[in-house]
Amino acid sequence: MTSQEIRQSFLDFFASKDHKIVSSAPMVIKDDPTLMFTNAGMNQFKNIILGNDPIKYPRVANSQKCLRVSGKHNDLEEVGHDTYHHTMFEMLGNWSFGDYFKKEAIAWAWEYLTEVVKIDKDRLYVTIFEGAPEEGLERDEEAYEIWKQYVPENRIINGNKHDNFWEMGDTGPCGPCSEIHVDIRPDSERVKVDALELVNQDHPLVIEIWNNVFMQYNRKADGSLTTLPAKVIDTGMGFERLCMTLQDKTSNYDTDIFQPIIQEIGKISGKKYGEDEKVDITMRVIADHVRTIAFSIADGQLPSNAKAGYVIRRILRRAVRYGYTFLNMHEAFMCKLIDVLSEVMGDAYPELLAQKSLIEKVIKEEEEAFLRTLEHGIKLLDKNLSEMKAKGKTVLDGHVAFTLYDTFGFPLDLTELILRENGMTVDLDGFKIEMEQQKQRARNAAAMETTDWVVLKEGETRFVGYDSLETESELLRYRKVTQKNKSYYQLVFAETPFYAEMGGQVGDKGQIISGDETIDIFDTKNENNLTVHLANKLPKELDVHFVLTVNKELRKATIRNHSATHLMHEALREVLGMHVEQKGSYVSPESLRFDFSHFQKMTQEEIRQVERLTNQKIRENFPLDEFRNIPIAEAKEMGAMALFGEKYGETVRVVRFGSSTELCGGTHVQATGEIGMLRILSESSIAAGIRRIEAITGHAVEKMMDLQQDTLANVRELFNNTPDLTKAIQRSLDENAELRKQVESFMQKQISELKEKLLANAREENGVKVIRFQSDFAAETIKTLVFQINNTFSEQIKNVDSDSQSLMVVIGGLHEGKPSLTVLLSKDLVDKGYSAVNLVREGAKHIQGGGGGQPFFATAGGKNPAGLAQAIESIKLA
RNA sequence: GGGGGAUUAGCUCAUCUGGCUAGAGCGUUUGACUGGCAGUCAAAAGGUGACCGGUUCGAGUCCGGUAUUCUCCA
């Protein structure tokens, strides 16, 4: 069977058992603070399991793309070194939400594996939860009894809490699970060692392929467990492992999912898979990572230096680093793999094909940037190496290695490699200590504590903010959140006009009022589909009616920006072409930000055109045409633009202004005329193939225009209201440059003349030529004068057989009321042990100051102009 | 969200602990050698040292803030 056929057989099987087949959710998660990526098939059903969302279909199955690269499940460093770890993988799963439970789940899992894809029964082993007395949990006898009907008892293995009790997080639904393992060793091996001893022992050929989780408990913040009212079945089968098993391979990377990519890497690098262990590891790393990166970009997550984007960047860099070291790839190469990847997976995941050119560009740019980082790091390391060699050291300080890594992004293993080539090592312990401190700092900063929800009334929030900005409601639940010694409260109401941050639009601010108590709501967020109001204090009385009022001014400014974003999006497509697609959006009361795909800088003219077109749409005063609950298919028929990487429900909201039609949950103006006017402030690049526009609307445009007009008027006035301001300024600048040059050359001439005069009039004191002079030049000018005197004098004594070889110059300066002293000694005086620094300090006493410099040249400043003349005279060679 | 770094000539970067009128390589311009080009040699132009404020006799260098950017951790 091909991988394509295997995926389909799973979905067909569960469809035949009355399951609704749903599509894969995006890998990047947007509205859950506890999770950045989809790391299990159940993520998209989390809100159903938590009871925040209603159950639409009690039985569901799908194939979900997952990423395990951060947090609790982090396999990143394993990937490539063995044959079965991945960053991205596909998870085949079936779910029951309060419908069937252990009996059916086990029966169907067995049926699918043994009858549909026909895995040899003798090669299958199962585990069940052995119990955990310290938590008051008993052995999962129920699962044991069911399994007994299918599997010989000796192949049902007890598993501990770590392997066989599944928890979603620190709190929330959890329960025992039952794993199915398969032994795919050759018969010769199977005779020697019983697979029973190898289950869960990280043997590459005795592997878990399917985990069936029976969620029946809920863990609270204090660690205690309660029984879940609606029990949930959550299963996950590793698609890549299943393919390996069914295709008679011993490595996931030998299946038809990865081999085409590995072959292509071989072609590009000129190396062969299967000859050298290090090359093989590298090829597996690259084949795995390129999938992750490509799919992330397709889901709208670009590499960046923070959060989810940073994780993607790090994965890409890991691949580049391996390629750099073991395949000798010193220029971008991963971008060349997208062709073959599209061939392998494009059919199942069309987003890959649709976004192909963007993916290639982004990867290429990222690769090149990292290669530059590597080059920079190698330079820095070289510098350290030569210092170490000079000192005879052979161990690089841990903190140096850490700085290279932490500050300059230079990978530790490369540092080690380069040192090894030079017969040196790294102080790894020192490195680890620094790393631990860094992690501790970050942990402390991010530490967040939440109490359990205090539930006053069950229920869901009804959002009324599309139609009104004020409503009366009651509190459903609340909890306290503490972060960095600051705490605030999260409040959930039965009904609210507050818009929670979503789809780029910021959350509303406002107030809640009960009786004579008014509490400020400083932000509104969406958490696991609950609208959460953030307040600094808890109302005194909880079981009363509250009036919830949104800050009208801010909300109105926000909706102007949001609606304007839609109009501008359409205008961009009209001006630049249909390749323009939204890649990100941020809408606040102050301004709007819109990121979109486009491959070059917009010209001034294009920006103007977009502005004009948008403003024209604003003036048309299109009324808001809103469809709150229409099926997604119908919405698409209306021409609504759906975004890649967005998760849409069955029914969606469509917002239409004239011909601009978008899927959008945000709040908008009643008619476009309310926007007033749009002005683009900037257009810039944020990544390869992605541009960003920042713009303002309404009142903000007015304010900006006022400011600009005022500035212009002021400037014009400065130029006597000349009709051609640009020309006047240009002329003034030219004139300024010309005068500057003239003044400079005039000063040069002055200084030169003064120099000659001073040298000629120099007195002789004890065989030393001495120049004493007071001027009102600036310090910089005096410096020039003194150095010129010195230069000329050096020339003179070289050419002429002068009596005196020694020179001392003392200049007093009085510039802008501040006295200064400058002393210069010729080289021979310095050699004799005189120091200009000592002399100038001695003299500076008269002007109440201090100073310093070098032995041949020193300056000082002071506060007492009256003592200047005395100071000049006082300086004498002792 | 937190930590660390960077910002100096058109580009890539020096300038150790505050003080040798801020330097190098590449690039640009000019000149010389050559029939011309390539090349070599010589010279020149090019800097508000990101921005704002402070400490100091003196700040590119120290301190604080802002902006941009890189990087690590979560």
Side-chain angles (χ1 to χ4, degrees), chain A residues 631-682:
Chain A
I632 185 140
E634 202 177 309
K636 282 183 178 162
E637 229 163 86
M638 289 168 66
M641 282 182 271
L643 304 176
F644 288 105
E646 282 300 326
K647 185 175 123 194
Y648 295 109
E650 299 261 311
T651 60
V652 292
R653 180 166 178 262
V654 173
V655 170
R656 193 154 70 179
F657 290 109
S659 54
S660 150
T661 310
E662 294 201 30
L663 296 176
C664 178
T667 55
H668 288 275
V669 296
Q670 287 304 308
T672 57
E674 284 177 45
I675 297 167
M677 187 174 182
L678 170 115
R679 194 94 213 176
I680 293 175
L681 296 182
S682 70

Side-chain angles (χ1 to χ4, degrees), chain A residues 586-817:
Chain A
Y586 179 78
V587 180
S588 73
E590 290 79 32
S591 66
L592 65 96
R593 215 166 61 198
F594 187 71
D595 302 340
F596 57 100
S597 48
H598 181 57
F599 292 112
Q600 57 209 337
K601 186 168 174 56
M602 283 175 74
T603 63
Q604 219 35 57
E605 185 48 37
E606 283 168 339
I607 292 175
R608 250 321 136 69
Q609 247 177 299
V610 170
E611 263 180 356
R612 283 209 186 116
L613 209 55
T614 309
N615 283 322
Q616 193 187 319
K617 290 171 199 282
I618 290 172
R619 283 192 300 273
E620 294 276 348
N621 203 22
F622 294 120
L624 168 66
D625 201 4
E626 183 193 8
F627 305 84
R628 287 205 188 156
N629 262 307
I630 64 167
I632 185 140
E634 202 177 309
K636 282 183 178 162
E637 229 163 86
M638 289 168 66
M641 282 182 271
L643 304 176
F644 288 105
E646 282 300 326
K647 185 175 123 194
Y648 295 109
E650 299 261 311
T651 60
V652 292
R653 180 166 178 262
V654 173
V655 170
R656 193 154 70 179
F657 290 109
S659 54
S660 150
T661 310
E662 294 201 30
L663 296 176
C664 178
T667 55
H668 288 275
V669 296
Q670 287 304 308
T672 57
E674 284 177 45
I675 297 167
M677 187 174 182
L678 170 115
R679 194 94 213 176
I680 293 175
L681 296 182
S682 70
E683 190 271 351
S684 58
S685 159
I686 55 161
I690 312 278
R691 313 290 306 174
R692 167 173 293 175
I693 280 183
E694 286 175 88
I696 51 174
T697 64
H699 184 54
V701 176
E702 228 172 87
K703 257 166 70 183
M704 188 196 69
M705 290 195 328
D706 285 351
L707 192 75
Q708 287 184 344
Q709 204 162 13
D710 289 350
T711 310
L712 195 64
N714 290 341
V715 173
R716 201 182 284 281
E717 206 172 341
L718 288 173
F719 284 89
N720 297 325
N721 295 316
T722 167
D724 192 341
L725 192 56
T726 316
K727 203 170 146 194
I729 292 177
Q730 188 57 55
R731 201 169 50 220
S732 173
L733 284 174
D734 291 346
E735 202 175 277
N736 187 277
E738 179 58 29
L739 286 173
R740 227 183 163 127
K741 270 188 185 163
Q742 280 185 19
V743 168
E744 214 166 282
S745 78
F746 180 72
M747 283 298 283
Q748 278 298 329
K749 217 170 126 195
Q750 284 272 86
I751 287 170
S752 182
E753 276 170 16
L754 183 58
K755 170 193 74 182
E756 296 297 342
K757 204 175 102 193
L758 289 174
L759 270 171
N761 295 339
R763 278 180 297 171
E764 197 88 10
E765 291 179 16
N766 304 325
V768 176
K769 244 186 184 182
V770 178
I771 294 170
R772 294 181 198 276
F773 184 66
Q774 184 175 339
S775 82
D776 55 1
F777 294 140
E780 209 47 33
T781 315
I782 294 177
K783 204 170 182 178
T784 311
L785 173 65
V786 170
F787 275 90
Q788 288 215 0
I789 292 173
N790 191 35
N791 290 344
T792 310
F793 180 74
S794 309
E795 287 299 312
Q796 282 177 1
I797 57 172
K798 235 188 273 171
N799 300 332
V800 186
D801 197 17
S802 166
D803 298 342
S804 172
Q805 299 285 313
S806 308
L807 174 75
M808 176 169 81
V809 183
V810 181
I811 311 274
L814 189 57
H815 188 67
E816 285 169 357

Side-chain angles (χ1 to χ4, degrees), chain A residues 35 45 54 78 98 148 155 171 176 231 244 253 303 318 323 494 496 522 538 549 589 612 670 677 753 789 796 847:
Chain A
L35 210 55
F45 307 112
E78 315 278 346
K148 245 170 46 178
R155 292 226 299 270
T171 59
K231 291 175 182 167
M244 167 173 78
Y253 292 91
R318 184 167 184 263
T496 185
F522 62 85
L538 204 59
T549 313
R612 283 209 186 116
Q670 287 304 308
M677 187 174 182
E753 276 170 16
I789 292 173
Q796 282 177 1
I847 54 169

Side-chain angles (χ1 to χ4, degrees), chain A residues 120 143 223 258 300 367 400 446 511 534 636 783:
Chain A
D120 182 357
F258 288 101
E367 283 189 87
V400 174
Q511 296 176 326
L534 310 187
K636 282 183 178 162
K783 204 170 182 178

